[in-house]
Amino acid sequence: MAGGWARDGAVQEQIEDSVSDAVSAARSRLPSGESARYCDECGEAIPAKRREALPGVRTCVECQTGRDGAVRHSDINRRGSKDSQLR
C-alpha cells in the first residue's frame, strides 16, 4: 500500500530493484575466465575439479579458507532487538 503520490506497488518494485542490483553486484565480483593451475598465494597446484567447479579460481582451498577467515564482520547486532543495539 503506497501513500502520498506513489502508485500502488511502488515500494515493492523498489525493494525488488534493490535486491536485483545487489545480486548483480555480487555476481560481478565472482571470479570468471580461465582458472589458474597453481595458487597465486602459495604456488601449490589447484585440483582440476576445483578449477572446473569455479571458473576463474586463483587460489587453492587452504589459501581461500584463510582469506575467508580474515574477513571481519560487523560488530552490529542485526538480529537482536533495538534495545540491544543501543547499549
Side-chain angles (χ1 to χ4, degrees):
M1 172 165 87
W5 295 100
R7 67 184 191 293
D8 287 343
V11 173
Q12 185 61 37
E13 287 177 18
Q14 185 177 12
I15 292 169
E16 290 170 0
D17 288 344
S18 295
V19 169
S20 178
D21 290 346
V23 169
S24 295
R27 285 184 176 155
S28 72
R29 291 189 298 269
L30 289 173
S32 62
E34 189 173 341
S35 298
R37 291 191 176 275
Y38 298 95
C39 178
D40 286 350
E41 292 187 19
C42 69
E44 290 292 319
I46 299 173
K49 293 286 186 184
R50 177 168 170 77
R51 293 193 318 261
E52 291 170 16
L54 299 168
V57 71
R58 308 296 305 170
T59 56
C60 66
V61 174
E62 284 187 42
C63 291
Q64 187 63 49
T65 301
R67 277 184 174 183
D68 292 346
V71 174
R72 187 162 183 334
H73 297 284
S74 173
D75 293 331
I76 296 172
N77 178 3
R78 297 189 187 280
R79 290 188 164 185
S81 66
K82 272 190 173 178
D83 292 339
S84 67
Q85 293 182 13
L86 296 175
R87 292 186 192 149

